Amino acid sequence: HGKIEKLLKRVEDEGKKGVFLVPATLRPETMYGQTNCFVLPTGEYGAYYIDATDEVFIMSARSARGLSCQAYDAANDVYFTKEFGKIECLETFTGDELLGLPLKAPNATYEKVYTLPLLTISMGKGTGVVTSVPSDAPDDYVALKALKDKPDFAAKYGITPDMVEPFEVVPIISIEGYGDASA
């Protein structure tokens, strides 16, 4: 994780507010059940400086370009970046370089979660970063279970048992007839 450590040091030295992997979600209520964060091992990610918040977001280049065209404070004509449509990339990463990072996930039950591989992420949709909520997303459940049940598969990506074994499904939504772990 040498590149990420250098980035964290640079951000701290420059007085920026922090570095964040930024998953996009249409289901914010599920964040309480997050057990990990997924990235595509072969995906290309960048660390982009966000002028409006003085933070660094790690996401796909496509997502960063889209964000640079969005208003942060529309009433005052403030965009996420100083110049509409332009965003500064401080560093690039492959998904492999992000695997196994310990993360603090806001609102999650677990104090620390890890970045794990998910081979079905589309870098042309969303940010390329996916929150994992195995109680309510079958793909998330299957991917986490595969990493737990197949140590050779996990080892291929540098994932150790402590990054997956302690993490159990966190029930968050109860569906009549299906219960609180519908996935």
Side-chain angles (χ1 to χ4, degrees), residues 38-75:
F38 287 124
V39 295
L40 180 65
T42 58
E44 295 179 14
Y45 296 85
Y48 297 93
Y49 178 62
I50 308 302
D51 301 299
T53 62
D54 197 32
E55 297 168 326
V56 176
F57 289 179
I58 295 177
M59 58 186 151
S60 69
R62 179 190 168 281
S63 181
R65 280 190 308 275
L67 188 65
S68 72
C69 298
Q70 294 180 32
Y72 175 75
D73 179 357

Short mmCIF file of all heavy atoms in Angstrom, two decimals, residues 38-75:
data_model
loop_
_atom_site.label_atom_id
_atom_site.label_comp_id
_atom_site.label_asym_id
_atom_site.label_seq_id
_atom_site.Cartn_x
_atom_site.Cartn_y
_atom_site.Cartn_z
N PHE A 38 -16.00 -3.11 -1.97
CA PHE A 38 -15.45 -3.83 -3.11
C PHE A 38 -14.81 -2.88 -4.12
O PHE A 38 -15.33 -1.77 -4.35
CB PHE A 38 -16.56 -4.59 -3.85
CG PHE A 38 -17.08 -5.80 -3.15
CD1 PHE A 38 -18.44 -5.90 -2.89
CD2 PHE A 38 -16.25 -6.84 -2.77
CE1 PHE A 38 -18.96 -7.03 -2.26
CE2 PHE A 38 -16.76 -7.98 -2.14
CZ PHE A 38 -18.12 -8.06 -1.89
N VAL A 39 -13.73 -3.34 -4.74
CA VAL A 39 -13.13 -2.69 -5.90
C VAL A 39 -12.85 -3.76 -6.95
O VAL A 39 -12.75 -4.95 -6.62
CB VAL A 39 -11.84 -1.89 -5.57
CG1 VAL A 39 -12.13 -0.72 -4.64
CG2 VAL A 39 -10.76 -2.79 -5.00
N LEU A 40 -12.72 -3.35 -8.18
CA LEU A 40 -12.38 -4.26 -9.27
C LEU A 40 -10.87 -4.39 -9.33
O LEU A 40 -10.18 -3.38 -9.54
CB LEU A 40 -12.92 -3.72 -10.59
CG LEU A 40 -12.66 -4.55 -11.84
CD1 LEU A 40 -13.39 -5.89 -11.77
CD2 LEU A 40 -13.09 -3.77 -13.09
N PRO A 41 -10.31 -5.57 -9.13
CA PRO A 41 -8.85 -5.71 -9.11
C PRO A 41 -8.15 -5.14 -10.34
O PRO A 41 -7.08 -4.54 -10.23
CB PRO A 41 -8.62 -7.22 -9.00
CG PRO A 41 -9.85 -7.73 -8.32
CD PRO A 41 -10.97 -6.85 -8.83
N THR A 42 -8.77 -5.28 -11.50
CA THR A 42 -8.16 -4.77 -12.74
C THR A 42 -8.63 -3.36 -13.08
O THR A 42 -8.23 -2.81 -14.10
CB THR A 42 -8.49 -5.70 -13.92
OG1 THR A 42 -9.92 -5.80 -14.05
CG2 THR A 42 -7.88 -7.08 -13.71
N GLY A 43 -9.47 -2.79 -12.24
CA GLY A 43 -10.00 -1.45 -12.49
C GLY A 43 -8.94 -0.37 -12.34
O GLY A 43 -7.96 -0.54 -11.63
N GLU A 44 -9.15 0.74 -13.03
CA GLU A 44 -8.26 1.89 -12.92
C GLU A 44 -8.98 2.97 -12.12
O GLU A 44 -10.08 3.38 -12.47
CB GLU A 44 -7.88 2.40 -14.30
CG GLU A 44 -7.05 1.39 -15.07
CD GLU A 44 -6.67 1.87 -16.47
OE1 GLU A 44 -6.81 3.07 -16.75
OE2 GLU A 44 -6.23 1.02 -17.25
N TYR A 45 -8.32 3.40 -11.04
CA TYR A 45 -8.88 4.38 -10.12
C TYR A 45 -7.95 5.57 -10.02
O TYR A 45 -6.75 5.47 -10.25
CB TYR A 45 -9.06 3.76 -8.72
CG TYR A 45 -10.05 2.63 -8.69
CD1 TYR A 45 -9.67 1.33 -9.01
CD2 TYR A 45 -11.38 2.86 -8.36
CE1 TYR A 45 -10.59 0.29 -8.99
CE2 TYR A 45 -12.29 1.83 -8.33
CZ TYR A 45 -11.89 0.55 -8.65
OH TYR A 45 -12.81 -0.48 -8.63
N GLY A 46 -8.50 6.71 -9.66
CA GLY A 46 -7.70 7.89 -9.41
C GLY A 46 -8.05 8.51 -8.08
O GLY A 46 -9.14 8.28 -7.54
N ALA A 47 -7.11 9.27 -7.55
CA ALA A 47 -7.35 10.06 -6.34
C ALA A 47 -7.53 11.50 -6.81
O ALA A 47 -6.58 12.13 -7.27
CB ALA A 47 -6.18 9.94 -5.38
N TYR A 48 -8.74 12.01 -6.72
CA TYR A 48 -9.11 13.30 -7.30
C TYR A 48 -9.34 14.34 -6.21
O TYR A 48 -10.08 14.09 -5.26
CB TYR A 48 -10.36 13.16 -8.17
CG TYR A 48 -10.12 12.23 -9.34
CD1 TYR A 48 -10.42 10.88 -9.25
CD2 TYR A 48 -9.56 12.71 -10.52
CE1 TYR A 48 -10.18 10.02 -10.30
CE2 TYR A 48 -9.32 11.86 -11.59
CZ TYR A 48 -9.63 10.52 -11.47
OH TYR A 48 -9.38 9.67 -12.51
N TYR A 49 -8.74 15.52 -6.41
CA TYR A 49 -8.92 16.60 -5.45
C TYR A 49 -10.26 17.28 -5.70
O TYR A 49 -10.58 17.68 -6.83
CB TYR A 49 -7.78 17.62 -5.55
CG TYR A 49 -7.97 18.77 -4.59
CD1 TYR A 49 -7.99 18.54 -3.22
CD2 TYR A 49 -8.17 20.06 -5.06
CE1 TYR A 49 -8.20 19.58 -2.33
CE2 TYR A 49 -8.37 21.11 -4.16
CZ TYR A 49 -8.38 20.87 -2.81
OH TYR A 49 -8.59 21.89 -1.93
N ILE A 50 -11.05 17.43 -4.64
CA ILE A 50 -12.37 18.05 -4.71
C ILE A 50 -12.28 19.43 -4.06
O ILE A 50 -12.22 19.55 -2.84
CB ILE A 50 -13.43 17.17 -4.01
CG1 ILE A 50 -13.39 15.73 -4.53
CG2 ILE A 50 -14.81 17.79 -4.14
CD1 ILE A 50 -13.61 15.57 -6.01
N ASP A 51 -12.25 20.46 -4.89
CA ASP A 51 -12.06 21.84 -4.40
C ASP A 51 -13.12 22.26 -3.39
O ASP A 51 -12.80 22.86 -2.37
CB ASP A 51 -12.10 22.83 -5.57
CG ASP A 51 -11.03 22.57 -6.61
OD1 ASP A 51 -9.84 22.63 -6.26
OD2 ASP A 51 -11.39 22.30 -7.77
N ALA A 52 -14.37 21.94 -3.66
CA ALA A 52 -15.48 22.43 -2.83
C ALA A 52 -15.41 21.93 -1.39
O ALA A 52 -15.85 22.62 -0.48
CB ALA A 52 -16.82 22.04 -3.45
N THR A 53 -14.84 20.74 -1.19
CA THR A 53 -14.81 20.17 0.16
C THR A 53 -13.40 20.05 0.71
O THR A 53 -13.23 19.67 1.87
CB THR A 53 -15.46 18.77 0.17
OG1 THR A 53 -14.72 17.91 -0.70
CG2 THR A 53 -16.92 18.84 -0.27
N ASP A 54 -12.40 20.33 -0.10
CA ASP A 54 -10.99 20.21 0.28
C ASP A 54 -10.65 18.77 0.69
O ASP A 54 -9.92 18.53 1.65
CB ASP A 54 -10.63 21.20 1.40
CG ASP A 54 -9.13 21.40 1.54
OD1 ASP A 54 -8.41 21.31 0.52
OD2 ASP A 54 -8.66 21.63 2.67
N GLU A 55 -11.22 17.83 -0.05
CA GLU A 55 -11.01 16.40 0.21
C GLU A 55 -10.49 15.73 -1.05
O GLU A 55 -10.53 16.31 -2.13
CB GLU A 55 -12.33 15.75 0.63
CG GLU A 55 -12.89 16.30 1.92
CD GLU A 55 -14.31 15.88 2.19
OE1 GLU A 55 -15.10 15.72 1.24
OE2 GLU A 55 -14.65 15.71 3.37
N VAL A 56 -10.05 14.49 -0.89
CA VAL A 56 -9.59 13.69 -2.02
C VAL A 56 -10.50 12.47 -2.11
O VAL A 56 -10.69 11.76 -1.12
CB VAL A 56 -8.12 13.27 -1.85
CG1 VAL A 56 -7.69 12.35 -2.98
CG2 VAL A 56 -7.22 14.50 -1.77
N PHE A 57 -11.08 12.25 -3.29
CA PHE A 57 -11.98 11.13 -3.52
C PHE A 57 -11.31 10.12 -4.44
O PHE A 57 -10.79 10.49 -5.50
CB PHE A 57 -13.27 11.59 -4.20
CG PHE A 57 -14.21 12.39 -3.34
CD1 PHE A 57 -15.40 12.86 -3.88
CD2 PHE A 57 -13.95 12.69 -2.01
CE1 PHE A 57 -16.30 13.59 -3.12
CE2 PHE A 57 -14.83 13.43 -1.23
CZ PHE A 57 -16.01 13.87 -1.79
N ILE A 58 -11.33 8.85 -4.05
CA ILE A 58 -10.82 7.79 -4.91
C ILE A 58 -12.01 7.16 -5.63
O ILE A 58 -12.96 6.70 -4.99
CB ILE A 58 -10.04 6.74 -4.10
CG1 ILE A 58 -8.79 7.39 -3.50
CG2 ILE A 58 -9.67 5.54 -4.99
CD1 ILE A 58 -7.95 6.49 -2.61
N MET A 59 -11.94 7.18 -6.98
CA MET A 59 -13.04 6.69 -7.81
C MET A 59 -12.54 6.53 -9.25
O MET A 59 -11.38 6.83 -9.54
CB MET A 59 -14.21 7.66 -7.76
CG MET A 59 -13.89 9.06 -8.21
SD MET A 59 -15.30 10.16 -7.92
CE MET A 59 -14.46 11.70 -7.68
N SER A 60 -13.40 6.11 -10.13
CA SER A 60 -13.05 5.96 -11.54
C SER A 60 -12.91 7.33 -12.19
O SER A 60 -13.50 8.32 -11.74
CB SER A 60 -14.13 5.16 -12.27
OG SER A 60 -15.33 5.91 -12.35
N ALA A 61 -12.15 7.38 -13.27
CA ALA A 61 -11.97 8.64 -14.01
C ALA A 61 -13.30 9.14 -14.57
O ALA A 61 -13.58 10.34 -14.54
CB ALA A 61 -10.95 8.45 -15.13
N ARG A 62 -14.11 8.23 -15.06
CA ARG A 62 -15.41 8.61 -15.61
C ARG A 62 -16.27 9.28 -14.55
O ARG A 62 -16.90 10.31 -14.78
CB ARG A 62 -16.11 7.37 -16.15
CG ARG A 62 -17.48 7.64 -16.72
CD ARG A 62 -18.22 6.32 -17.02
NE ARG A 62 -19.60 6.55 -17.29
CZ ARG A 62 -20.54 6.78 -16.36
NH1 ARG A 62 -20.21 6.83 -15.10
NH2 ARG A 62 -21.79 6.99 -16.70
N SER A 63 -16.27 8.71 -13.37
CA SER A 63 -17.05 9.27 -12.27
C SER A 63 -16.51 10.64 -11.86
O SER A 63 -17.28 11.56 -11.57
CB SER A 63 -17.01 8.30 -11.10
OG SER A 63 -17.76 8.78 -10.03
N ALA A 64 -15.20 10.78 -11.83
CA ALA A 64 -14.59 12.06 -11.46
C ALA A 64 -14.96 13.15 -12.47
O ALA A 64 -15.28 14.28 -12.08
CB ALA A 64 -13.07 11.92 -11.38
N ARG A 65 -14.93 12.81 -13.75
CA ARG A 65 -15.33 13.80 -14.77
C ARG A 65 -16.77 14.23 -14.56
O ARG A 65 -17.11 15.41 -14.65
CB ARG A 65 -15.15 13.22 -16.18
CG ARG A 65 -13.74 13.27 -16.69
CD ARG A 65 -13.65 12.93 -18.18
NE ARG A 65 -14.30 11.68 -18.52
CZ ARG A 65 -13.75 10.48 -18.42
NH1 ARG A 65 -12.52 10.36 -18.00
NH2 ARG A 65 -14.43 9.40 -18.78
N GLY A 66 -17.65 13.25 -14.28
CA GLY A 66 -19.05 13.57 -14.04
C GLY A 66 -19.23 14.47 -12.83
O GLY A 66 -20.00 15.44 -12.85
N LEU A 67 -18.50 14.18 -11.77
CA LEU A 67 -18.59 14.99 -10.55
C LEU A 67 -18.13 16.42 -10.80
O LEU A 67 -18.69 17.37 -10.25
CB LEU A 67 -17.76 14.36 -9.43
CG LEU A 67 -17.91 14.97 -8.05
CD1 LEU A 67 -19.32 14.77 -7.51
CD2 LEU A 67 -16.89 14.35 -7.09
N SER A 68 -17.14 16.59 -11.66
CA SER A 68 -16.61 17.93 -11.94
C SER A 68 -17.62 18.82 -12.67
O SER A 68 -17.42 20.03 -12.76
CB SER A 68 -15.31 17.84 -12.74
OG SER A 68 -15.56 17.44 -14.08
N CYS A 69 -18.69 18.23 -13.16
CA CYS A 69 -19.73 18.99 -13.86
C CYS A 69 -20.97 19.19 -12.99
O CYS A 69 -21.98 19.70 -13.46
CB CYS A 69 -20.12 18.26 -15.15
SG CYS A 69 -18.77 18.09 -16.32
N GLN A 70 -20.90 18.79 -11.73
CA GLN A 70 -22.06 18.89 -10.85
C GLN A 70 -21.91 20.02 -9.84
O GLN A 70 -20.82 20.29 -9.36
CB GLN A 70 -22.27 17.57 -10.10
CG GLN A 70 -22.64 16.43 -11.00
CD GLN A 70 -22.84 15.16 -10.22
OE1 GLN A 70 -23.28 15.19 -9.07
NE2 GLN A 70 -22.52 14.04 -10.83
N ALA A 71 -23.02 20.63 -9.53
CA ALA A 71 -23.03 21.71 -8.55
C ALA A 71 -22.94 21.13 -7.14
O ALA A 71 -23.60 20.15 -6.82
CB ALA A 71 -24.29 22.55 -8.69
N TYR A 72 -22.12 21.74 -6.31
CA TYR A 72 -22.01 21.40 -4.90
C TYR A 72 -22.99 22.25 -4.11
O TYR A 72 -23.64 21.79 -3.19
CB TYR A 72 -20.57 21.63 -4.43
CG TYR A 72 -20.35 21.42 -2.96
CD1 TYR A 72 -20.31 20.13 -2.45
CD2 TYR A 72 -20.20 22.49 -2.09
CE1 TYR A 72 -20.11 19.91 -1.09
CE2 TYR A 72 -20.01 22.28 -0.73
CZ TYR A 72 -19.96 20.99 -0.24
OH TYR A 72 -19.78 20.78 1.10
N ASP A 73 -23.09 23.51 -4.51
CA ASP A 73 -23.99 24.48 -3.88
C ASP A 73 -24.61 25.29 -5.02
O ASP A 73 -24.10 26.35 -5.39
CB ASP A 73 -23.21 25.37 -2.91
CG ASP A 73 -24.07 26.42 -2.23
OD1 ASP A 73 -25.28 26.52 -2.53
OD2 ASP A 73 -23.52 27.16 -1.38
N ALA A 74 -25.67 24.76 -5.59
CA ALA A 74 -26.27 25.35 -6.78
C ALA A 74 -26.75 26.78 -6.53
O ALA A 74 -26.65 27.64 -7.42
CB ALA A 74 -27.42 24.49 -7.28
N ALA A 75 -27.24 27.06 -5.35
CA ALA A 75 -27.76 28.39 -5.04
C ALA A 75 -26.67 29.46 -5.18
O ALA A 75 -26.96 30.60 -5.54
CB ALA A 75 -28.36 28.42 -3.64
#
